[in-house]
Amino acid sequence: MITLIARCPNRTITLPIPDESKEFTCGSMPGNTLYLPYKGISRRHFILKKTEQGWLLQDFQSTNGTYVNGEKVSERYVEPGDTLRAGVVEIDFTTKEAQAVRIDPSRLKSDPGTQEVSSSERRSGSIFSFPRFVLPDGFILGKSEAMNLVYEKIHSILDSDVSVLFIGETGTGKEMFAKILHASGTHSSGPFVAVNCAAIPADLLEAELFGIGERVATNVSQRKGKILSANGGTLFLDELAAFPFALQAKILRALEEKAITPVGEHRLIPVQFRLLSATNEDPQDLIKNNRLREDLYHRIATVEIELPPLRDRKEDLEEMILAFVAQMSDRENKKIPGLSSPLLRKLQNYSYPGNARELVNIIRSITALAHPGEILDVQLLPEKLLQDRTSHGEVESYFQQEPFHLQDAVDSVTRKIILQTLEFRDWNVRKTAEHLKVTPFGLRKMMKRLNIEKS
């Protein structure tokens, strides 16, 4: 397979050319196979055509010309090892296969499987099988111990009517898991109604939940509330910490009587629904600070399910990253063959304070910025990740060792940075030294001292 490595002013584009390709265009106009909006590159600069004799390069009468190994050409066969130049961009024409973690298109599907396995096999992380689960589109199955415990809890209450409180940091997917419980359980034939308590002003929340009766006030029309809309299905109250304390007695009464009274009316309307709630704060702190009634807490939290943050289930990250890249490339209508190993390591080492939601946004960003067919690389990352040189866990681990040798810790981190940069630069010492802002001589001395050799 031919691979083009385009060294642009602010990034490097690695673009494998599929064996079935017959031609390949380059230019500054969108629609070219290699889109290079840089200085000195014409709208249609050159074309590569696959012939029986090999790859034929033809210049499109570009303003600044096309060069092969420093020589200006209008038409010429190119061989692996040649260097092309268009404007400010140099392009290596090589048969070296790009080192990348490949994307499997089947990752676009979320299939929980159908095979029954024992509890011990589930906890081993090697097999996932909860055949009754109905998963939302785009949901990625984690196989870590922490996530299997969550799945088992949800699976065990599918046939129950108990109220459930999901507890987890922002971005851990509390509403997603609520949807799984609804769609897989006995209330799946009814509606799923979600209410974000933080997004509705406190003085309007009662009307939003309980509805408004007929002829309550001038210019106020009768309205069906969210609770009645959830009749026969599931009501999901998100951001429970924002629920007005004064309104909590009314919601408790509705749960106990299984009936509601719309604003401005006195009649009771029977209603049957399953209540799921979620909070990103400790319920005991909410009770202590008079933000949550203790009697309501006991009513809505028959079962508590804690969702682990992404940093506590790093073993799920590779699967999630590859699946999200597959999904986002499909959404962007781009064929992304894979991502580089340095990029994968960078994504795995990040702490994700915004959890899965932040990971999705990062993947969406780098996929949107990528060239169609390009292997995703580190330069596409947001600045906050580029500045995060080492994982938080790695730094914290040194403080847990007492005492420890500072120079050993510095050498360990330095060795990892040099190794990753060498791999990123294909073990080219000169380019690695430029990237790390050191001299080639100085880099070789560090490599010798730290026992860094190409395996």
Side-chain angles (χ1 to χ4, degrees):
M1 177 186 288
I2 295 294
T3 299
L4 296 185
I5 303 175
R7 295 188 295 276
C8 307
N10 55 353
R11 61 185 286 204
T12 298
I13 297 175
T14 302
L15 205 62
I17 303 178
D19 292 333
E20 63 272 15
S21 294
K22 300 299 181 184
E23 63 178 38
F24 188 99
T25 61
C26 170
S28 61
M29 181 175 64
N32 284 286
T33 317
L34 181 57
Y35 170 49
L36 299 174
Y38 298 104
K39 183 179 178 180
I41 296 179
S42 299
R43 291 162 61 84
R44 298 187 70 208
H45 203 102
F46 68 78
I47 185 172
L48 282 164
K49 294 182 178 179
K50 193 175 186 179
T51 69
E52 293 182 359
Q53 291 75 32
W55 284 95
L56 177 65
L57 181 147
Q58 293 177 325
D59 182 75
F60 277 131
Q61 297 183 344
S62 59
T63 303
N64 294 292
T66 302
Y67 294 78
V68 178
N69 300 329
E71 178 185 350
K72 189 174 183 180
V73 300
S74 58
E75 183 173 290
R76 171 174 168 170
Y77 281 99
V78 289
E79 301 285 343
D82 287 343
T83 298
L84 320 181
R85 181 164 63 82
V88 295
V89 179
E90 284 193 347
I91 305 166
D92 292 335
F93 186 86
T94 176
T95 54
K96 178 181 178 183
E97 186 172 358
Q99 296 297 313
V101 182
R102 297 291 167 176
I103 301 299
D104 180 1
S106 66
R107 295 179 189 275
L108 286 166
K109 300 178 181 178
S110 300
D111 184 7
T114 56
Q115 181 186 8
E116 276 291 357
V117 294
S118 68
S119 178
S120 61
E121 284 177 315
R122 288 181 188 141
R123 288 195 176 97
S124 70
S126 59
I127 300 174
F128 179 93
S129 179
F130 294 106
R132 289 185 54 192
F133 274 6
V134 178
L135 304 178
D137 288 341
F139 184 81
I140 307 303
L141 294 169
K143 299 182 182 180
S144 61
E145 172 72 13
M147 290 311 300
N148 270 311
L149 292 174
V150 171
Y151 298 140
E152 287 198 348
K153 266 193 172 182
I154 292 176
H155 198 263
S156 65
I157 56 175
L158 291 182
D159 295 326
S160 174
D161 200 32
V162 296
S163 299
V164 179
L165 176 60
F166 291 96
I167 304 171
E169 296 178 6
T170 299
T172 50
K174 296 184 287 294
E175 183 170 347
M176 190 76 83
F177 285 101
K179 286 180 178 178
I180 293 174
L181 181 52
H182 164 75
S184 309
T186 54
H187 290 72
S188 59
S189 59
F192 178 87
V193 179
V195 180
N196 187 333
C197 301
I200 303 173
D203 55 342
L204 299 180
L205 189 57
E206 182 177 3
E208 189 73 17
L209 285 173
F210 294 91
I212 299 176
E214 191 175 3
R215 292 189 295 273
V216 170
T218 306
N219 297 326
V220 176
S221 57
Q222 185 178 16
R223 189 166 76 232
K224 185 178 178 181
K226 296 290 187 182
I227 295 178
L228 196 56
S229 297
N231 193 26
T234 300
L235 177 68
F236 176 62
L237 297 180
D238 198 7
E239 301 289 353
L240 194 63
F243 202 94
F245 193 83
L247 189 57
Q248 293 180 22
K250 189 169 183 178
I251 194 77
L252 177 62
R253 183 180 178 187
L255 291 171
E256 291 176 342
E257 295 182 351
K258 295 184 178 178
I260 62 166
T261 302
V263 175
E265 291 193 4
H266 301 289
R267 65 189 179 99
L268 286 174
I269 303 175
V271 63
Q272 181 70 40
F273 61 92
R274 184 176 196 173
L275 179 65
L276 307 179
S277 310
T279 180
N280 57 7
E281 298 186 43
D282 186 339
Q284 297 305 322
D285 288 342
L286 295 177
I287 294 170
K288 184 179 178 181
N289 296 321
N290 291 322
R291 297 170 61 198
L292 177 64
R293 290 175 58 116
E294 189 169 6
D295 51 359
L296 178 61
Y297 163 71
H298 291 304
R299 186 65 180 79
I300 66 175
T302 307
V303 173
E304 289 187 359
I305 298 179
E306 293 191 30
L307 302 180
L310 204 51
R311 62 182 174 274
D312 289 347
R313 54 186 188 102
K314 287 292 185 80
E315 58 266 48
D316 290 335
L317 267 176
E318 180 174 345
E319 180 71 19
M320 294 175 71
I321 291 166
L322 296 178
F324 286 144
V325 170
Q327 290 176 7
M328 295 306 162
S329 60
D330 184 65
R331 181 179 297 181
E332 293 287 332
N333 197 25
K334 294 179 179 179
K335 291 183 178 179
I336 302 294
L339 62 161
S340 70
S341 296
L343 173 59
L344 180 60
R345 282 194 296 271
K346 198 76 175 173
L347 291 169
Q348 287 175 314
N349 287 336
Y350 183 55
S351 57
Y352 296 102
N355 292 293
R357 185 179 297 145
E358 183 179 13
L359 172 61
V360 171
N361 285 335
I362 290 170
I363 299 300
R364 181 176 294 159
S365 169
I366 63 177
T367 307
L369 292 171
H371 193 289
E374 177 184 359
I375 289 175
L376 304 180
D377 216 336
V378 175
Q379 303 104 316
L380 296 168
L381 283 172
E383 189 63 28
K384 62 181 179 181
L385 269 80
L386 291 174
Q387 293 174 353
D388 188 22
R389 296 297 178 188
T390 59
S391 69
H392 295 290
E394 181 180 0
V395 175
E396 289 169 359
S397 67
Y398 291 119
F399 293 98
Q400 296 168 7
Q401 303 170 20
E402 197 173 338
F404 72 93
H405 197 288
L406 177 61
Q407 189 58 50
D408 289 344
V410 172
D411 285 349
S412 175
V413 175
T414 302
R415 190 174 192 278
K416 288 180 181 179
I417 292 173
I418 292 175
L419 272 171
Q420 289 181 13
T421 311
L422 281 165
E423 290 177 8
F424 174 58
R425 292 297 182 183
D426 296 323
W427 285 83
N428 185 308
V429 173
R430 179 182 61 80
K431 291 180 180 179
T432 301
E434 290 176 358
H435 189 99
L436 297 175
K437 299 292 191 292
V438 297
T439 65
F441 176 74
L443 178 59
R444 288 190 180 93
K445 284 186 67 175
M446 284 189 283
M447 290 172 63
K448 184 176 181 179
R449 182 173 65 82
L450 298 172
N451 195 27
I452 297 175
E453 294 180 355
K454 187 177 182 180
S455 58

